[in-house]
Amino acid sequence: MIRVLIVDDDSFIRESLKVLIGLDAGIEVAGTAGDGREALSLLGELPGGADVVLMDIRMPGCDGVEGTRLIKNAYPSVAVLMLTTFDDDEYIIEALRGGASGYLLKNIPPDRIIQGIKTVYEGNLLIHPGIAHKLAGFLQPSSRQDAPEAQPLASYGLTRSEQAVVTSIAEGLTNKEIAAKLFLSEGTVKNYITDILSKLGVRDRTQIAILYLKTERENG
């Protein structure tokens, strides 16, 4: 059972999402919150916590970007999935840099939201390729605290197969899609990702994508 915390400043949206998501037998709505700071507090109070935080990106008080940073610092294993609109590119990128596992547009069908929750719960990154490529252009020097200096991937000791996995992650592919693309099993892909995280010294798939795109920008 995937436990989800819904975060949105609009009570109608919170309740609507709660009903829609609760229709899936594999997902339980653990609670709802009105902004990022309330979500952080609630995570510490919920019996059993939450696996995925479904969070609006624009909220008064503590928005989704700051909320993501707070939650990932306190609960690194909790996946954060952003809800956004078409014109939020800069917000999305800042949220990804803060540790979000991806984003969904608010106007997509309910089944896509449910699938998105399951995707990030499984440890996959949910990013549209167009946003992934914009990541490199938005990286600022301050982001160095979130990722190591950009170097050619081979200098980190990555094998060719691991480099191919890194490239696929930066393209926004899921483990299943990477496995199909590289003719590997999903288990092998997961093992590669574990080794990649260790070699690059980063904490999650988002950081892998950021480092790859920064490497391409500075060394390509």
Side-chain angles (χ1 to χ4, degrees):
M1 183 70 69
I2 304 172
R3 292 174 56 81
V4 177
L5 174 60
I6 299 170
V7 188
D8 197 294
D9 62 299
D10 188 319
S11 60
F12 176 76
I13 292 178
R14 288 199 304 270
E15 292 305 311
S16 297
L17 287 171
K18 182 177 180 179
V19 171
L20 292 171
I21 293 170
L23 294 175
D24 189 279
I27 298 177
E28 175 187 357
V29 177
T32 64
D35 69 7
R37 196 168 296 280
E38 184 182 348
L40 175 67
S41 177
L42 194 56
L43 280 173
E45 300 171 1
L46 288 172
D51 303 302
V52 177
V53 174
L54 183 63
M55 181 149 52
D56 187 18
I57 204 163
R58 293 197 184 194
M59 296 178 287
C62 181
D63 65 17
V65 174
E66 180 61 20
T68 296
R69 293 194 187 103
L70 292 172
I71 288 170
K72 293 300 291 186
N73 283 336
Y75 304 96
S77 64
V78 174
V80 180
L81 182 58
M82 312 304 299
L83 285 173
T84 184
T85 57
F86 284 105
D87 59 351
D88 281 340
D89 284 6
E90 292 188 48
Y91 285 91
I92 293 168
I93 289 166
E94 286 302 315
L96 293 172
R97 286 172 55 186
S101 295
Y103 73 96
L104 294 170
L105 296 176
K106 285 186 172 181
N107 61 350
I108 64 172
D111 62 318
R112 291 278 302 280
I113 295 177
I114 290 170
Q115 185 55 52
I117 290 170
K118 293 178 178 179
T119 294
V120 298
Y121 172 74
E122 292 168 357
N124 294 316
L125 198 60
L126 192 62
I127 302 177
H128 189 280
I131 290 293
H133 289 298
K134 288 182 180 181
L135 265 171
F138 279 87
L139 288 174
Q140 302 296 329
S142 61
S143 68
R144 290 177 183 173
Q145 64 184 354
D146 299 321
E149 292 290 332
Q151 306 171 38
L153 291 179
S155 69
Y156 292 98
L158 297 185
T159 65
R160 289 186 178 180
S161 295
E162 288 170 342
Q163 291 179 50
V165 171
V166 168
T167 301
S168 299
I169 289 173
E171 292 172 350
L173 301 186
T174 66
N175 285 359
K176 183 176 182 179
E177 290 168 337
I178 294 172
K181 175 184 176 182
L182 302 180
F183 303 101
L184 301 169
S185 70
E186 286 191 61
T188 298
V189 171
K190 290 180 180 179
N191 290 336
Y192 275 140
I193 292 173
T194 298
D195 291 340
I196 290 165
L197 290 170
S198 177
K199 290 180 179 181
L200 297 184
V202 295
R203 68 189 180 200
D204 54 37
R205 296 169 71 99
T206 306
Q207 298 267 305
I208 291 175
I210 289 174
L211 180 57
Y212 169 79
L213 292 165
K214 187 174 183 183
T215 298
E216 289 293 292
R217 184 185 184 200
E218 296 184 7
N219 297 292

